[in-house]
Amino acid sequence: MYEIYCKLRDEKGVKDADVVRATGITKSTFSSWKNGKYTPKNEKLQKIANYFGVSLEYLRTGNVPDFIYSDDNVDFLIEVQRCSKDTEFVNRMKKYMSLLTNDKKSVDDINVKGKKVLVRCDFNVPLQDGKITDENRLVAALPTIKKLIADGGKVILCSHLGKPKGEPKPELSLAPVAKRLSELLGQEVKFAADPEVVGPNAKAAVAEMKDGDVILLENTRYRAEETKNGDEFSKELASLCDVFVNDAFGTAHRAHCSNVGVTKYVDTAVVGYLMQKEIDFLGNAVNNPERPFVAILGGAKVSSKISVINNLLDKVDTLIIGGGMSYTFSKAMGGHIGTSLCEDDYLQYALDMMKKAEDKGVKLLLPLDNRIGDNFSNDCNIQVVKRGEIPDGWEGMDIGPETEKLFGDAVKDAKTVVWNGPMGCFEMPNFAHGTEAVAKALAETDATTIIGGGDSAAAVNILGYGDKMTHISTGGGASLEFLEGKELPGVAAANDK
Protein backbone atom coordinates (compact mmCIF):
# COMPACT_ATOMS: atom_id res chain seq x y z
CA MET A 1 0.00 0.00 0.00
CA TYR A 2 2.80 2.43 0.84
CA GLU A 3 4.42 1.78 -2.53
CA ILE A 4 1.16 2.65 -4.27
CA TYR A 5 0.94 5.78 -2.17
CA CYS A 6 4.48 6.82 -3.17
CA LYS A 7 3.73 6.34 -6.85
CA LEU A 8 0.55 8.39 -6.70
CA ARG A 9 2.14 11.02 -4.45
CA ASP A 10 4.87 11.54 -7.01
CA GLU A 11 2.38 11.60 -9.90
CA LYS A 12 0.42 14.34 -8.17
CA GLY A 13 3.42 16.34 -7.00
CA VAL A 14 2.39 16.16 -3.33
CA LYS A 15 4.98 16.00 -0.52
CA ASP A 16 4.72 13.71 2.51
CA ALA A 17 4.79 16.75 4.78
CA ASP A 18 1.82 18.26 2.95
CA VAL A 19 -0.23 15.09 3.36
CA VAL A 20 0.69 14.84 7.04
CA ARG A 21 -0.39 18.45 7.56
CA ALA A 22 -3.63 18.05 5.58
CA THR A 23 -4.70 14.90 7.41
CA GLY A 24 -3.57 15.97 10.86
CA ILE A 25 -1.83 12.68 11.65
CA THR A 26 1.39 12.63 13.62
CA LYS A 27 4.74 12.07 11.96
CA SER A 28 5.28 8.97 14.09
CA THR A 29 1.98 7.46 12.92
CA PHE A 30 2.92 8.24 9.35
CA SER A 31 6.33 6.64 9.87
CA SER A 32 4.80 3.46 11.28
CA TRP A 33 2.65 3.19 8.18
CA LYS A 34 5.72 3.85 6.07
CA ASN A 35 7.42 0.92 7.77
CA GLY A 36 4.67 -1.52 6.83
CA LYS A 37 2.44 -1.19 9.87
CA TYR A 38 -0.53 0.10 7.93
CA THR A 39 -3.83 -0.34 9.77
CA PRO A 40 -7.09 0.32 7.87
CA LYS A 41 -8.79 1.09 11.20
CA ASN A 42 -6.78 4.30 11.41
CA GLU A 43 -9.26 6.65 9.73
CA LYS A 44 -6.74 9.31 8.78
CA LEU A 45 -4.43 6.81 7.15
CA GLN A 46 -7.45 5.41 5.36
CA LYS A 47 -8.11 8.91 4.06
CA ILE A 48 -4.62 9.06 2.58
CA ALA A 49 -5.11 5.78 0.75
CA ASN A 50 -8.58 6.79 -0.33
CA TYR A 51 -7.48 10.16 -1.62
CA PHE A 52 -4.80 8.79 -3.87
CA GLY A 53 -7.00 5.93 -5.00
CA VAL A 54 -9.68 8.46 -5.91
CA SER A 55 -7.27 10.68 -7.80
CA LEU A 56 -5.96 7.86 -9.95
CA GLU A 57 -9.35 6.28 -10.64
CA TYR A 58 -10.96 9.60 -11.53
CA LEU A 59 -8.22 10.61 -13.94
CA ARG A 60 -8.29 7.21 -15.61
CA THR A 61 -12.02 6.51 -15.76
CA GLY A 62 -13.96 9.61 -14.73
CA ASN A 63 -15.49 7.67 -11.83
CA VAL A 64 -15.13 8.58 -8.18
CA PRO A 65 -15.67 5.92 -5.47
CA ASP A 66 -18.12 6.29 -2.61
CA PHE A 67 -15.54 7.68 -0.24
CA ILE A 68 -15.72 11.18 -1.70
CA TYR A 69 -19.35 11.65 -0.74
CA SER A 70 -18.58 12.28 2.94
CA ASP A 71 -18.32 15.96 3.93
CA ASP A 72 -15.14 15.24 5.89
CA ASN A 73 -13.52 13.67 2.87
CA VAL A 74 -14.51 16.54 0.60
CA ASP A 75 -12.84 18.93 3.07
CA PHE A 76 -9.80 16.69 3.10
CA LEU A 77 -9.63 16.70 -0.69
CA ILE A 78 -9.76 20.47 -0.71
CA GLU A 79 -6.84 20.59 1.74
CA VAL A 80 -4.70 18.20 -0.27
CA GLN A 81 -5.55 20.05 -3.48
CA ARG A 82 -3.97 23.14 -1.97
CA CYS A 83 -0.74 21.17 -1.73
CA SER A 84 -0.90 19.70 -5.23
CA LYS A 85 1.14 21.03 -8.11
CA ASP A 86 -1.00 19.21 -10.67
CA THR A 87 -3.20 22.10 -11.83
CA GLU A 88 -5.20 20.06 -14.31
CA PHE A 89 -6.04 17.47 -11.67
CA VAL A 90 -7.02 20.14 -9.13
CA ASN A 91 -9.35 21.87 -11.59
CA ARG A 92 -11.00 18.64 -12.72
CA MET A 93 -11.49 17.42 -9.17
CA LYS A 94 -12.91 20.76 -8.05
CA LYS A 95 -15.43 20.63 -10.88
CA TYR A 96 -16.37 17.06 -10.02
CA MET A 97 -16.74 17.85 -6.32
CA SER A 98 -19.00 20.75 -7.20
CA LEU A 99 -21.29 18.36 -9.05
CA LEU A 100 -21.28 15.84 -6.22
CA THR A 101 -22.05 18.40 -3.56
CA ASN A 102 -24.76 19.93 -5.77
CA ASP A 103 -23.07 23.28 -5.28
CA LYS A 104 -24.82 25.11 -8.12
CA LYS A 105 -26.07 28.66 -8.07
CA SER A 106 -29.84 28.97 -7.96
CA VAL A 107 -32.37 31.75 -8.45
CA ASP A 108 -31.84 32.64 -4.77
CA ASP A 109 -28.21 33.57 -5.49
CA ILE A 110 -28.83 36.24 -8.15
CA ASN A 111 -30.37 39.69 -8.57
CA VAL A 112 -32.66 39.87 -11.61
CA LYS A 113 -34.15 43.34 -11.06
CA GLY A 114 -34.55 44.94 -14.50
CA LYS A 115 -32.79 42.05 -16.22
CA LYS A 116 -34.02 39.85 -19.04
CA VAL A 117 -34.20 36.27 -17.74
CA LEU A 118 -34.52 33.30 -20.09
CA VAL A 119 -36.05 30.34 -18.23
CA ARG A 120 -35.89 26.83 -19.69
CA CYS A 121 -39.00 25.08 -18.37
CA ASP A 122 -40.48 21.65 -18.99
CA PHE A 123 -43.85 22.36 -20.57
CA ASN A 124 -43.92 19.03 -22.43
CA VAL A 125 -47.54 18.44 -21.44
CA PRO A 126 -50.15 16.13 -23.01
CA LEU A 127 -52.58 17.87 -25.36
CA GLN A 128 -55.93 16.69 -26.70
CA ASP A 129 -57.79 18.86 -29.21
CA GLY A 130 -55.63 21.80 -28.17
CA LYS A 131 -56.45 21.35 -24.48
CA ILE A 132 -53.93 20.46 -21.78
CA THR A 133 -55.00 17.20 -20.13
CA ASP A 134 -52.36 17.15 -17.36
CA GLU A 135 -50.96 20.44 -16.11
CA ASN A 136 -48.69 19.12 -13.33
CA ARG A 137 -45.58 20.35 -15.15
CA LEU A 138 -47.02 23.84 -15.47
CA VAL A 139 -47.86 23.95 -11.77
CA ALA A 140 -44.38 22.65 -10.88
CA ALA A 141 -42.77 25.53 -12.77
CA LEU A 142 -44.78 28.27 -11.02
CA PRO A 143 -42.56 28.82 -7.92
CA THR A 144 -39.53 29.76 -10.03
CA ILE A 145 -41.56 31.94 -12.39
CA LYS A 146 -43.30 33.74 -9.52
CA LYS A 147 -39.97 34.31 -7.76
CA LEU A 148 -38.48 35.95 -10.86
CA ILE A 149 -41.60 38.10 -11.39
CA ALA A 150 -41.56 39.23 -7.75
CA ASP A 151 -37.87 40.12 -8.01
CA GLY A 152 -38.51 42.40 -10.97
CA GLY A 153 -37.11 40.24 -13.74
CA LYS A 154 -38.30 40.33 -17.33
CA VAL A 155 -39.22 36.67 -17.64
CA ILE A 156 -38.81 34.91 -21.00
CA LEU A 157 -40.00 31.29 -20.88
CA CYS A 158 -39.02 28.56 -23.32
CA SER A 159 -39.66 24.82 -23.61
CA HIS A 160 -40.05 21.98 -26.06
CA LEU A 161 -43.30 20.11 -26.63
CA GLY A 162 -43.42 16.69 -28.23
CA LYS A 163 -41.22 15.80 -31.18
CA PRO A 164 -41.83 18.17 -34.11
CA LYS A 165 -38.43 17.07 -35.50
CA GLY A 166 -37.18 20.47 -36.52
CA GLU A 167 -40.23 21.87 -38.26
CA PRO A 168 -43.27 23.87 -37.17
CA LYS A 169 -46.30 21.72 -36.40
CA PRO A 170 -49.42 23.63 -35.25
CA GLU A 171 -50.60 20.73 -33.08
CA LEU A 172 -47.36 21.04 -31.06
CA SER A 173 -47.46 24.81 -30.59
CA LEU A 174 -47.03 26.16 -27.05
CA ALA A 175 -49.92 28.63 -27.55
CA PRO A 176 -52.27 26.62 -25.25
CA VAL A 177 -49.54 26.65 -22.58
CA ALA A 178 -49.29 30.46 -22.72
CA LYS A 179 -53.05 30.72 -22.26
CA ARG A 180 -53.15 28.38 -19.26
CA LEU A 181 -50.06 29.94 -17.65
CA SER A 182 -51.78 33.35 -17.87
CA GLU A 183 -54.67 31.92 -15.86
CA LEU A 184 -52.41 30.22 -13.30
CA LEU A 185 -50.22 33.31 -12.78
CA GLY A 186 -53.07 35.81 -12.83
CA GLN A 187 -51.29 37.95 -15.41
CA GLU A 188 -50.78 37.89 -19.16
CA VAL A 189 -48.15 35.56 -20.57
CA LYS A 190 -47.56 36.98 -24.02
CA PHE A 191 -46.98 34.30 -26.66
CA ALA A 192 -44.33 34.97 -29.30
CA ALA A 193 -45.62 32.97 -32.27
CA ASP A 194 -42.46 32.67 -34.33
CA PRO A 195 -41.89 29.40 -36.21
CA GLU A 196 -38.15 30.14 -35.99
CA VAL A 197 -38.59 30.62 -32.19
CA VAL A 198 -36.32 33.66 -31.96
CA GLY A 199 -38.05 35.73 -34.64
CA PRO A 200 -39.51 39.22 -35.05
CA ASN A 201 -42.39 38.61 -32.65
CA ALA A 202 -40.09 37.40 -29.88
CA LYS A 203 -37.58 40.20 -30.40
CA ALA A 204 -40.29 42.87 -30.41
CA ALA A 205 -41.98 41.43 -27.33
CA VAL A 206 -38.68 41.29 -25.40
CA ALA A 207 -37.82 44.87 -26.40
CA GLU A 208 -41.14 46.10 -24.96
CA MET A 209 -40.95 44.17 -21.68
CA LYS A 210 -41.31 45.91 -18.34
CA ASP A 211 -40.10 44.50 -15.02
CA GLY A 212 -42.32 41.57 -14.01
CA ASP A 213 -43.61 40.89 -17.53
CA VAL A 214 -43.70 37.34 -18.88
CA ILE A 215 -43.51 36.04 -22.43
CA LEU A 216 -43.36 32.49 -23.80
CA LEU A 217 -41.37 31.53 -26.91
CA GLU A 218 -42.57 28.96 -29.42
CA ASN A 219 -41.59 25.26 -29.20
CA THR A 220 -37.77 25.14 -29.19
CA ARG A 221 -37.81 21.89 -31.16
CA TYR A 222 -39.30 23.70 -34.14
CA ARG A 223 -35.62 24.35 -34.76
CA ALA A 224 -33.64 21.34 -36.00
CA GLU A 225 -30.49 22.67 -34.29
CA GLU A 226 -32.09 22.44 -30.84
CA THR A 227 -31.38 18.76 -30.24
CA LYS A 228 -27.97 19.02 -31.93
CA ASN A 229 -26.87 21.81 -29.58
CA GLY A 230 -26.01 24.03 -32.54
CA ASP A 231 -24.19 27.30 -31.95
CA GLU A 232 -26.40 29.52 -34.11
CA PHE A 233 -29.64 28.79 -32.25
CA SER A 234 -27.81 28.87 -28.90
CA LYS A 235 -26.54 32.38 -29.71
CA GLU A 236 -30.00 33.51 -30.79
CA LEU A 237 -31.51 32.39 -27.49
CA ALA A 238 -28.69 34.02 -25.53
CA SER A 239 -29.20 37.29 -27.43
CA LEU A 240 -32.59 37.67 -25.74
CA CYS A 241 -31.36 37.60 -22.15
CA ASP A 242 -28.93 38.75 -19.48
CA VAL A 243 -29.49 35.73 -17.21
CA PHE A 244 -30.33 32.08 -17.90
CA VAL A 245 -32.30 29.83 -15.53
CA ASN A 246 -32.64 26.09 -16.15
CA ASP A 247 -35.68 24.62 -14.44
CA ALA A 248 -36.22 21.61 -16.73
CA PHE A 249 -34.82 18.52 -15.06
CA GLY A 250 -36.61 16.29 -17.58
CA THR A 251 -34.10 17.32 -20.25
CA ALA A 252 -31.06 17.70 -17.97
CA HIS A 253 -29.49 14.53 -19.38
CA ARG A 254 -29.49 16.03 -22.89
CA ALA A 255 -27.14 18.71 -24.21
CA HIS A 256 -29.49 20.88 -26.27
CA CYS A 257 -29.34 24.55 -27.28
CA SER A 258 -32.01 25.68 -24.82
CA ASN A 259 -30.46 24.10 -21.72
CA VAL A 260 -26.71 23.80 -22.40
CA GLY A 261 -25.68 25.63 -25.58
CA VAL A 262 -27.16 28.94 -24.45
CA THR A 263 -24.97 28.93 -21.31
CA LYS A 264 -21.84 29.37 -23.43
CA TYR A 265 -23.03 32.85 -24.37
CA VAL A 266 -24.54 34.01 -21.06
CA ASP A 267 -22.36 34.88 -18.07
CA THR A 268 -24.98 34.06 -15.43
CA ALA A 269 -26.55 30.59 -15.63
CA VAL A 270 -28.34 29.16 -12.58
CA VAL A 271 -30.91 26.50 -11.68
CA GLY A 272 -34.53 27.08 -10.71
CA TYR A 273 -36.39 25.72 -7.71
CA LEU A 274 -37.69 22.62 -9.48
CA MET A 275 -34.23 21.70 -10.76
CA GLN A 276 -32.70 22.38 -7.35
CA LYS A 277 -35.26 20.14 -5.68
CA GLU A 278 -34.42 17.30 -8.06
CA ILE A 279 -30.68 17.73 -7.49
CA ASP A 280 -31.14 17.86 -3.73
CA PHE A 281 -33.34 14.78 -3.44
CA LEU A 282 -31.65 12.55 -5.99
CA GLY A 283 -28.17 13.84 -5.16
CA ASN A 284 -28.53 13.29 -1.43
CA ALA A 285 -30.20 9.92 -1.94
CA VAL A 286 -27.36 8.62 -4.08
CA ASN A 287 -24.39 10.43 -2.59
CA ASN A 288 -25.21 10.92 1.05
CA PRO A 289 -28.23 8.77 1.99
CA GLU A 290 -29.58 8.27 5.46
CA ARG A 291 -29.25 4.55 6.08
CA PRO A 292 -30.50 1.88 5.71
CA PHE A 293 -30.64 2.80 2.00
CA VAL A 294 -32.87 0.61 -0.20
CA ALA A 295 -33.14 0.87 -3.98
CA ILE A 296 -35.96 -0.78 -5.94
CA LEU A 297 -35.47 -1.38 -9.65
CA GLY A 298 -38.14 -2.68 -12.01
CA GLY A 299 -39.13 -2.27 -15.61
CA ALA A 300 -38.64 -4.47 -18.62
CA LYS A 301 -34.96 -4.66 -19.42
CA VAL A 302 -31.73 -5.36 -17.58
CA SER A 303 -29.82 -3.74 -20.45
CA SER A 304 -31.41 -0.34 -19.79
CA LYS A 305 -30.32 -0.41 -16.16
CA ILE A 306 -26.88 -2.03 -16.36
CA SER A 307 -25.02 1.04 -15.11
CA VAL A 308 -27.70 1.78 -12.52
CA ILE A 309 -27.43 -1.69 -10.95
CA ASN A 310 -23.64 -1.55 -10.97
CA ASN A 311 -23.53 1.94 -9.47
CA LEU A 312 -26.17 1.31 -6.81
CA LEU A 313 -24.46 -1.86 -5.59
CA ASP A 314 -21.62 0.41 -4.46
CA LYS A 315 -24.01 2.54 -2.42
CA VAL A 316 -27.10 0.71 -1.15
CA ASP A 317 -27.69 -1.61 1.80
CA THR A 318 -30.44 -3.49 -0.05
CA LEU A 319 -31.19 -3.73 -3.77
CA ILE A 320 -34.60 -5.05 -4.84
CA ILE A 321 -35.10 -6.21 -8.42
CA GLY A 322 -38.58 -6.87 -9.82
CA GLY A 323 -40.49 -6.35 -13.04
CA GLY A 324 -39.58 -7.83 -16.40
CA MET A 325 -35.86 -7.54 -15.74
CA SER A 326 -36.10 -10.09 -12.92
CA TYR A 327 -36.73 -12.96 -15.36
CA THR A 328 -33.24 -12.57 -16.80
CA PHE A 329 -31.90 -13.13 -13.28
CA SER A 330 -34.24 -16.09 -12.80
CA LYS A 331 -33.07 -17.77 -16.01
CA ALA A 332 -29.43 -17.03 -15.15
CA MET A 333 -29.95 -19.03 -11.94
CA GLY A 334 -31.26 -21.99 -13.94
CA GLY A 335 -34.96 -21.27 -13.60
CA HIS A 336 -37.67 -21.92 -16.19
CA ILE A 337 -39.34 -18.68 -17.32
CA GLY A 338 -41.70 -19.78 -20.11
CA THR A 339 -42.22 -16.95 -22.59
CA SER A 340 -41.33 -14.20 -20.09
CA LEU A 341 -39.18 -11.24 -21.05
CA CYS A 342 -35.53 -12.23 -21.01
CA GLU A 343 -32.28 -10.86 -22.37
CA ASP A 344 -30.08 -13.87 -22.97
CA ASP A 345 -27.08 -11.65 -23.69
CA TYR A 346 -27.21 -10.46 -20.08
CA LEU A 347 -27.42 -13.77 -18.23
CA GLN A 348 -23.76 -13.67 -17.22
CA TYR A 349 -24.11 -10.03 -16.26
CA ALA A 350 -26.96 -10.97 -13.90
CA LEU A 351 -24.75 -13.58 -12.25
CA ASP A 352 -21.88 -11.07 -12.02
CA MET A 353 -24.14 -8.57 -10.26
CA MET A 354 -25.32 -11.22 -7.80
CA LYS A 355 -21.68 -12.01 -7.04
CA LYS A 356 -20.85 -8.32 -6.64
CA ALA A 357 -23.74 -7.90 -4.18
CA GLU A 358 -22.45 -10.86 -2.18
CA ASP A 359 -18.90 -9.51 -2.15
CA LYS A 360 -20.11 -6.05 -1.10
CA GLY A 361 -22.38 -7.37 1.63
CA VAL A 362 -25.41 -5.89 -0.12
CA LYS A 363 -28.72 -7.72 0.31
CA LEU A 364 -30.02 -8.46 -3.21
CA LEU A 365 -33.70 -9.40 -3.23
CA LEU A 366 -35.31 -11.10 -6.21
CA PRO A 367 -38.93 -12.30 -6.59
CA LEU A 368 -39.86 -15.51 -4.78
CA ASP A 369 -43.01 -16.02 -6.85
CA ASN A 370 -44.78 -14.55 -9.87
CA ARG A 371 -48.25 -13.92 -11.21
CA ILE A 372 -48.27 -15.35 -14.70
CA GLY A 373 -50.63 -15.28 -17.68
CA ASP A 374 -51.15 -17.45 -20.75
CA ASN A 375 -51.15 -14.37 -23.00
CA PHE A 376 -50.34 -10.68 -22.70
CA SER A 377 -53.80 -9.50 -21.69
CA ASN A 378 -55.65 -8.41 -18.58
CA ASP A 379 -58.30 -11.05 -19.32
CA CYS A 380 -55.90 -13.99 -19.71
CA ASN A 381 -55.84 -17.04 -17.46
CA ILE A 382 -53.81 -16.29 -14.34
CA GLN A 383 -51.92 -18.36 -11.80
CA VAL A 384 -49.21 -17.83 -9.18
CA VAL A 385 -46.05 -19.95 -9.34
CA LYS A 386 -42.69 -20.08 -7.60
CA ARG A 387 -39.75 -18.28 -9.17
CA GLY A 388 -38.19 -20.34 -11.94
CA GLU A 389 -41.24 -22.58 -12.35
CA ILE A 390 -43.12 -20.78 -15.13
CA PRO A 391 -44.50 -23.38 -17.58
CA ASP A 392 -44.14 -23.21 -21.35
CA GLY A 393 -46.67 -20.91 -23.01
CA TRP A 394 -47.00 -18.72 -19.91
CA GLU A 395 -45.22 -15.49 -19.06
CA GLY A 396 -44.45 -13.56 -15.91
CA MET A 397 -46.61 -10.44 -15.62
CA ASP A 398 -46.19 -9.39 -11.98
CA ILE A 399 -44.55 -10.35 -8.71
CA GLY A 400 -46.52 -12.74 -6.49
CA PRO A 401 -47.93 -12.35 -2.94
CA GLU A 402 -44.87 -13.86 -1.19
CA THR A 403 -42.65 -11.38 -3.01
CA GLU A 404 -44.96 -8.49 -2.12
CA LYS A 405 -44.42 -9.33 1.55
CA LEU A 406 -40.67 -9.79 1.10
CA PHE A 407 -40.25 -6.43 -0.64
CA GLY A 408 -42.65 -4.68 1.75
CA ASP A 409 -40.74 -5.94 4.79
CA ALA A 410 -37.45 -4.80 3.22
CA VAL A 411 -38.51 -1.14 3.18
CA LYS A 412 -40.14 -1.05 6.64
CA ASP A 413 -36.98 -0.02 8.49
CA ALA A 414 -35.35 1.88 5.62
CA LYS A 415 -34.46 5.55 6.00
CA THR A 416 -34.00 6.23 2.28
CA VAL A 417 -35.76 4.46 -0.60
CA VAL A 418 -35.29 5.14 -4.31
CA TRP A 419 -37.69 3.41 -6.71
CA ASN A 420 -37.33 3.27 -10.48
CA GLY A 421 -39.48 0.91 -12.54
CA PRO A 422 -42.77 -0.94 -11.87
CA MET A 423 -42.99 -4.51 -10.55
CA GLY A 424 -45.23 -5.73 -13.36
CA CYS A 425 -47.68 -4.73 -16.06
CA PHE A 426 -49.38 -2.18 -13.80
CA GLU A 427 -51.48 -0.80 -16.66
CA MET A 428 -53.51 -4.02 -16.46
CA PRO A 429 -55.53 -4.15 -13.20
CA ASN A 430 -54.97 -7.89 -12.74
CA PHE A 431 -51.21 -7.36 -12.82
CA ALA A 432 -50.96 -4.12 -10.84
CA HIS A 433 -50.98 -5.89 -7.45
CA GLY A 434 -47.20 -6.02 -7.04
CA THR A 435 -46.59 -2.40 -8.00
CA GLU A 436 -49.43 -1.29 -5.72
CA ALA A 437 -48.08 -3.39 -2.82
CA VAL A 438 -44.68 -1.71 -3.13
CA ALA A 439 -46.28 1.75 -3.40
CA LYS A 440 -48.38 1.02 -0.31
CA ALA A 441 -45.31 -0.17 1.62
CA LEU A 442 -43.46 3.03 0.71
CA ALA A 443 -46.47 5.15 1.71
CA GLU A 444 -46.47 3.52 5.14
CA THR A 445 -42.75 3.85 5.87
CA ASP A 446 -41.11 6.81 7.60
CA ALA A 447 -38.29 6.78 5.06
CA THR A 448 -37.50 9.48 2.53
CA THR A 449 -39.13 7.99 -0.57
CA ILE A 450 -37.98 9.11 -4.00
CA ILE A 451 -39.72 7.96 -7.17
CA GLY A 452 -37.50 8.10 -10.24
CA GLY A 453 -39.89 9.46 -12.82
CA GLY A 454 -41.21 7.71 -15.92
CA ASP A 455 -43.38 4.62 -15.41
CA SER A 456 -42.75 4.61 -11.65
CA ALA A 457 -44.15 8.11 -11.32
CA ALA A 458 -47.11 7.24 -13.51
CA ALA A 459 -47.77 4.10 -11.46
CA VAL A 460 -47.82 5.75 -8.02
CA ASN A 461 -50.04 8.54 -9.32
CA ILE A 462 -52.46 6.21 -11.12
CA LEU A 463 -52.68 3.97 -8.06
CA GLY A 464 -53.35 6.93 -5.77
CA TYR A 465 -50.12 7.02 -3.74
CA GLY A 466 -48.44 10.04 -5.34
CA ASP A 467 -49.15 12.39 -2.44
CA LYS A 468 -47.67 9.89 0.03
CA MET A 469 -44.17 10.01 -1.54
CA THR A 470 -41.50 12.44 -0.42
CA HIS A 471 -40.46 13.30 -3.96
CA ILE A 472 -41.55 12.21 -7.44
CA SER A 473 -38.99 13.11 -10.07
CA THR A 474 -40.14 15.03 -13.13
CA GLY A 475 -37.49 13.39 -15.32
CA GLY A 476 -37.52 9.68 -16.15
CA GLY A 477 -34.40 9.51 -18.32
CA ALA A 478 -32.61 12.19 -16.33
CA SER A 479 -33.27 10.51 -12.98
CA LEU A 480 -32.07 7.18 -14.38
CA GLU A 481 -28.81 8.72 -15.56
CA PHE A 482 -28.43 10.47 -12.20
CA LEU A 483 -28.77 7.08 -10.51
CA GLU A 484 -26.10 5.75 -12.87
CA GLY A 485 -23.73 8.35 -11.47
CA LYS A 486 -23.48 10.20 -14.78
CA GLU A 487 -22.82 13.90 -15.11
CA LEU A 488 -25.99 15.57 -16.39
CA PRO A 489 -25.13 18.25 -18.98
CA GLY A 490 -28.03 20.45 -17.95
CA VAL A 491 -26.83 20.50 -14.35
CA ALA A 492 -23.12 20.81 -15.15
CA ALA A 493 -23.78 23.87 -17.32
CA ALA A 494 -25.01 26.00 -14.39
CA ASN A 495 -22.59 28.28 -12.56
CA ASP A 496 -20.89 26.88 -9.46
CA LYS A 497 -21.33 28.75 -6.20
Side-chain angles (χ1 to χ4, degrees):
M1 179 60 77
Y2 182 68
E3 288 73 17
I4 295 173
Y5 158 75
C6 290
K7 182 175 183 294
L8 294 171
R9 173 201 61 194
D10 295 341
E11 281 183 12
K12 297 288 152 271
V14 179
K15 297 177 182 177
D16 285 348
D18 293 328
V19 175
V20 169
R21 179 171 57 79
T23 56
I25 65 173
T26 64
K27 289 183 180 179
S28 60
T29 303
F30 187 82
S31 296
S32 68
W33 180 55
K34 206 174 186 178
N35 296 328
K37 297 176 181 176
Y38 173 67
T39 309
K41 290 179 182 177
N42 185 315
E43 290 181 8
K44 288 177 179 175
L45 288 179
Q46 183 69 58
K47 282 185 180 181
I48 294 173
N50 279 340
Y51 165 66
F52 286 105
V54 164
S55 69
L56 185 65
E57 184 173 350
Y58 176 62
L59 289 174
R60 285 178 179 168
T61 69
N63 297 320
V64 176
D66 260 354
F67 131 84
I68 195 175
Y69 300 133
S70 150
D71 288 342
D72 289 342
N73 288 325
V74 169
D75 291 340
F76 166 67
L77 275 173
I78 292 169
E79 284 299 314
V80 178
Q81 281 171 12
R82 289 174 184 161
C83 310
S84 178
K85 295 181 176 64
D86 188 338
T87 307
E88 181 186 0
F89 166 71
V90 170
N91 290 337
R92 290 176 70 184
M93 188 58 82
K94 279 181 178 175
K95 178 183 176 185
Y96 201 82
M97 281 199 300
S98 174
L99 294 175
L100 294 176
T101 53
N102 308 321
D103 206 10
K104 292 294 178 179
K105 284 188 177 178
S106 78
V107 288
D108 285 330
D109 299 310
I110 57 172
N111 178 9
V112 299
K113 175 69 174 173
K115 294 180 180 177
K116 293 171 289 184
V117 186
L118 179 66
V119 188
R120 177 50 159 104
C121 299
D122 184 0
F123 294 150
N124 187 28
V125 293
L127 292 172
Q128 189 171 351
D129 300 325
K131 302 287 186 183
I132 298 167
T133 57
D134 182 346
E135 60 185 37
N136 283 334
R137 288 181 175 176
L138 304 191
V139 174
L142 294 178
T144 294
I145 298 170
K146 288 179 177 179
K147 159 75 173 172
L148 296 170
I149 292 171
D151 287 356
K154 299 171 182 177
V155 185
I156 307 157
L157 307 174
C158 68
S159 175
H160 78 284
L161 174 60
K163 296 179 179 179
K165 298 184 178 178
E167 60 183 71
K169 292 186 177 177
E171 68 273 18
L172 294 177
S173 171
L174 284 170
V177 172
K179 181 182 177 184
R180 183 60 184 137
L181 278 175
S182 298
E183 295 166 354
L184 292 170
L185 288 170
Q187 71 175 78
E188 182 188 12
V189 174
K190 189 170 184 178
F191 182 59
D194 293 309
E196 66 270 57
V197 186
V198 182
N201 291 321
K203 292 173 183 176
V206 170
E208 295 171 2
M209 291 183 85
K210 297 180 176 60
D211 293 359
D213 283 353
V214 184
I215 69 170
L216 174 63
L217 304 182
E218 185 54 281
N219 190 337
T220 56
R221 290 190 187 173
Y222 276 10
R223 293 284 292 266
E225 311 99 300
E226 160 71 329
T227 56
K228 298 177 177 65
N229 198 17
D231 281 341
E232 183 181 347
F233 186 37
S234 298
K235 287 177 182 176
E236 289 176 25
L237 288 168
S239 71
L240 297 177
C241 67
D242 307 303
V243 174
F244 174 71
V245 176
N246 190 356
D247 211 23
F249 184 73
T251 58
H253 58 312
R254 307 292 186 213
H256 292 171
C257 294
S258 64
N259 68 336
V260 173
V262 65
T263 65
K264 293 191 291 185
Y265 307 103
V266 179
D267 290 335
T268 303
V270 303
V271 297
Y273 288 137
L274 183 59
M275 180 77 97
Q276 187 65 57
K277 184 181 178 185
E278 295 276 10
I279 294 170
D280 288 345
F281 274 106
L282 286 168
N284 287 335
V286 175
N287 300 334
N288 190 27
E290 188 177 356
R291 296 185 182 277
F293 176 22
V294 178
I296 306 169
L297 294 180
K301 295 181 178 180
V302 174
S303 57
S304 66
K305 292 188 169 75
I306 287 176
S307 299
V308 180
I309 296 171
N310 198 36
N311 191 44
L312 287 176
L313 282 175
D314 290 326
K315 305 177 186 305
V316 300
D317 301 296
T318 300
L319 179 61
I320 295 173
I321 292 179
M325 62 193 298
S326 67
Y327 303 110
T328 299
F329 282 82
S330 181
K331 185 172 180 178
M333 292 186 288
H336 199 283
I337 61 168
T339 58
S340 304
L341 279 174
C342 182
E343 294 176 283
D344 288 341
D345 292 346
Y346 291 92
L347 296 177
Q348 185 57 50
Y349 172 80
L351 294 174
D352 291 344
M353 290 302 98
M354 293 171 71
K355 179 66 165 59
K356 179 174 180 177
E358 183 182 352
D359 292 344
K360 290 270 184 183
V362 173
K363 189 181 294 184
L364 178 61
L365 300 182
L366 294 162
L368 300 174
D369 59 346
N370 298 101
R371 286 185 179 87
I372 64 173
D374 59 357
N375 67 69
F376 192 73
S377 163
N378 186 59
D379 301 322
C380 64
N381 294 309
I382 300 168
Q383 58 177 312
V384 175
V385 299
K386 297 289 185 185
R387 179 182 68 206
E389 297 180 7
I390 300 176
D392 292 340
W394 292 70
E395 62 180 306
M397 307 272 277
D398 195 7
I399 58 174
E402 284 185 50
T403 306
E404 290 173 12
K405 184 177 187 310
L406 175 71
F407 290 179
D409 288 344
V411 302
K412 276 182 181 174
D413 299 322
K415 294 298 181 184
T416 305
V417 182
V418 173
W419 181 15
N420 187 290
M423 297 293 98
C425 306
F426 74 94
E427 303 92 342
M428 303 179 193
N430 286 333
F431 299 105
H433 300 289
T435 300
E436 183 165 12
V438 170
K440 185 172 185 291
L442 264 58
E444 293 172 353
T445 182
D446 293 329
T448 296
T449 51
I450 300 163
I451 312 303
D455 285 343
S456 311
V460 295
N461 284 322
I462 288 170
L463 296 170
Y465 292 94
D467 61 343
K468 304 291 195 304
M469 304 301 154
T470 310
H471 177 65
I472 299 178
S473 178
T474 55
S479 65
L480 201 59
E481 293 201 10
F482 208 117
L483 294 176
E484 287 180 38
K486 287 184 178 180
E487 175 180 295
L488 302 185
V491 177
N495 298 152
D496 298 332
K497 283 188 179 177

